[in-house]
Amino acid sequence: MTWSDMQPLLTQGTYDTLYMVLWSTLVTVLAGLPLGILLVLTDKGGLLQNRPLNKVLGVIVNIGRSLPFIILLIFLIPVTTAVVGTFIGPTAMIVPLAIGAIPFFARLVETAVREVDHGLVEAVQSMGGGVPTLVWKVLLPQSLPSLAAGVTTTVITLVGYSAMAGAVGGEGLGSKAITYGFQRFETGFMFATVAVLIALVTVVQLLGDGVVRLLARRGRTA
């Protein structure tokens, strides 16, 4: 396979991968962020202390994190079909990608929020600050660098998940690698696909590290 043959396949695969990863990241952050904060607030000593709820949420998150993504992907085919109308294609893959990443990101959020200086939390509580004030004025601003690092890690994880999604018709670089690199024994195309995936992960990591450093500097000068 020549480069002129590879280029359109790699371009389309990269586009589909970015499409799946970006949308699933958005859904993951929107769902995983409040879930992670709720895990902290409902824990012992939290403003919304509710141990039974905390235990249930913890079990759900742990189960979601423990399942290998390829198994979760197949298990969620009926759910994906019910939501999107099909389980094939990049749009359909957003559903299992997000569901697989939400528990992972929620734990990262929980860890980041727990690192916030407890003295600041107590100061807000002593002044009569409620849950919204605590979350928006203390927990989120103080944990922003760690949250940004968590988002970066999640995006990189989703890139890997999206490659696995190619095994069940998810399109993207994973699908192209399986169809052309493996099934047609095009070793050169397989190496090219791996190189593109490495480049994507490297770019995401560099951008994420830059955002973390910027937020950390702003936090120190605030």
Side-chain angles (χ1 to χ4, degrees), residues 14 61 65 73 98 102 112 117 139 144 168 186:
T14 302
V61 168
R65 292 177 63 202
L73 189 63
I102 286 170
D117 186 358
L139 297 182
L144 266 182
V168 292
E186 294 285 353

Side-chain angles (χ1 to χ4, degrees), residues 3-42:
W3 172 248
S4 59
D5 296 323
M6 293 184 192
Q7 189 175 13
L9 294 173
L10 290 173
T11 300
Q12 185 61 46
T14 302
Y15 172 80
D16 290 337
T17 295
L18 290 174
Y19 173 80
M20 290 186 288
V21 170
L22 290 175
W23 279 106
S24 57
T25 298
L26 177 61
V27 176
T28 297
V29 171
L30 290 176
L33 184 61
L35 178 57
I37 294 173
L38 195 59
L39 283 168
V40 176
L41 294 178
T42 57

Side-chain angles (χ1 to χ4, degrees), residues 2-3 28 35 45 49 78 94 97 119 167 171 186 198 201-202 219 221:
T2 64
W3 172 248
T28 297
L35 178 57
Q49 180 174 320
I94 294 171
L97 284 171
E171 299 300 333
E186 294 285 353
I198 292 174
V201 169
T202 301
T221 57

Side-chain angles (χ1 to χ4, degrees), residues 58-210:
V59 168
I60 293 173
V61 168
N62 289 337
I63 291 174
R65 292 177 63 202
S66 64
L67 290 175
F69 180 70
I70 191 68
I71 295 176
L72 182 66
L73 189 63
I74 297 170
F75 178 75
L76 290 174
I77 285 177
V79 177
T80 303
T81 304
V83 173
V84 183
T86 180
F87 66 91
I88 297 174
T91 299
M93 288 302 106
I94 294 171
V95 175
L97 284 171
I99 292 176
I102 286 170
F104 175 78
F105 182 64
R107 284 300 186 193
L108 295 179
V109 172
E110 180 187 13
T111 301
V113 171
R114 289 191 188 279
E115 292 175 353
V116 175
D117 186 358
H118 194 64
L120 293 174
V121 176
E122 291 179 342
V124 171
Q125 289 179 286
S126 66
M127 292 185 290
V131 173
T133 302
L134 178 65
V135 171
W136 292 105
K137 299 295 184 181
V138 178
L139 297 182
L140 289 180
Q142 292 296 317
S143 61
L144 266 182
S146 296
L147 291 175
V151 171
T152 301
T153 302
T154 302
V155 172
I156 292 173
T157 300
L158 283 168
V159 171
Y161 283 177
S162 71
M164 284 187 278
V168 292
E171 299 300 333
L173 290 168
S175 175
K176 296 293 187 291
I178 292 171
T179 302
Y180 297 93
F182 176 69
Q183 295 177 348
R184 300 187 184 182
F185 304 103
E186 294 285 353
T187 306
F189 184 81
M190 180 69 80
F191 279 120
T193 305
V194 171
V196 174
L197 285 170
I198 292 174
L200 281 177
V201 169
T202 301
V203 170
V204 170
Q205 188 66 64
L206 290 174
L207 289 174
D209 290 344

